[in-house]
Amino acid sequence: ADDLLKMLCTVIPAWRDNLEMLILSNISYPYASFNAIPGQSQKSAAHPSSIVQQLLKAIAKCTNLEVLHLTCLHITDTLVIDVGEMLRSLSRVKELHLAGNCLTSNGMKELSKFLGERQQKLQVLDVTMNEEQLDDSIVKELKLSSNYVLHD
């Protein structure tokens, strides 16, 4: 799986001028179910964050992206800053899908700050199946920068 991610880190930037939609799901654990329950042991063995950081930096070069799915990639709160930095360069993104990752309420609060910096609201933000069910205050924060927020 790490070799696949490393390859993607070199290939994705080559598509930067034409790539409008990118769907990456379940890359790190091909055997894991998309419907896995957050917090199960298979999530605790996430791949090195440095590889995910490289992947996020590669995606950041694709400035024409409008739809981005980063589902079940073991994105944790420690990577929210990297996700935010990626989003700064992806001003055209309308849909962001972060379902099935390992984000907690703290990570969602941090994510909402980055989303709040954007010129345009997201049309869709999907944060379902992460580590914690979001309380209403965090959902309200996310809705300030997203027209539609999918959450648990």
Side-chain angles (χ1 to χ4, degrees):
D2 287 349
D3 289 340
L4 175 61
L5 286 171
K6 289 175 185 175
M7 181 195 66
L8 283 172
C9 289
T10 57
V11 172
I12 288 173
W15 300 330
R16 69 177 162 247
D17 295 332
N18 299 315
L19 195 61
E20 294 179 5
M21 177 187 288
L22 181 61
I23 299 172
L24 298 175
S25 180
N26 239 359
I27 292 175
S28 61
Y29 293 97
Y31 60 85
S33 167
F34 181 78
N35 294 317
I37 297 170
Q40 283 184 337
S41 61
Q42 64 189 14
K43 288 202 170 225
S44 63
H47 48 170
S49 61
S50 63
I51 295 172
V52 178
Q53 287 172 322
Q54 291 172 19
L55 181 63
L56 296 172
K57 286 178 184 177
I59 294 168
K61 295 175 182 173
C62 301
T63 56
N64 289 323
L65 270 176
E66 294 183 8
V67 178
L68 179 57
H69 290 250
L70 300 174
T71 57
C72 298
L73 296 180
H74 305 280
I75 295 172
T76 63
D77 291 353
T78 58
L79 291 169
V80 169
I81 291 172
D82 299 286
V83 171
E85 289 174 2
M86 175 194 68
L87 288 172
R88 283 184 177 139
S89 66
L90 301 178
S91 61
R92 297 180 72 178
V93 166
K94 297 175 185 173
E95 292 185 25
L96 178 60
H97 300 264
L98 295 171
N101 283 295
C102 303
L103 297 169
T104 67
S105 295
N106 290 334
M108 296 295 180
K109 285 180 189 177
E110 191 69 24
L111 178 65
S112 71
K113 292 176 188 176
F114 284 104
L115 293 173
E117 296 174 2
R118 293 175 52 88
Q119 295 290 324
Q120 294 182 3
K121 280 185 165 188
L122 290 174
Q123 290 177 2
V124 176
L125 174 63
D126 180 359
V127 292
T128 56
M129 299 187 316
N130 272 279
E131 289 292 319
E132 299 175 353
Q133 188 169 2
L134 301 179
D135 64 41
D136 289 340
S137 65
I138 296 172
V139 173
K140 284 180 184 178
E141 284 182 46
L142 293 170
K143 285 184 177 180
L144 292 174
S145 55
S146 307
N147 291 329
Y148 191 66
V149 177
L150 299 165
H151 62 93
D152 297 326

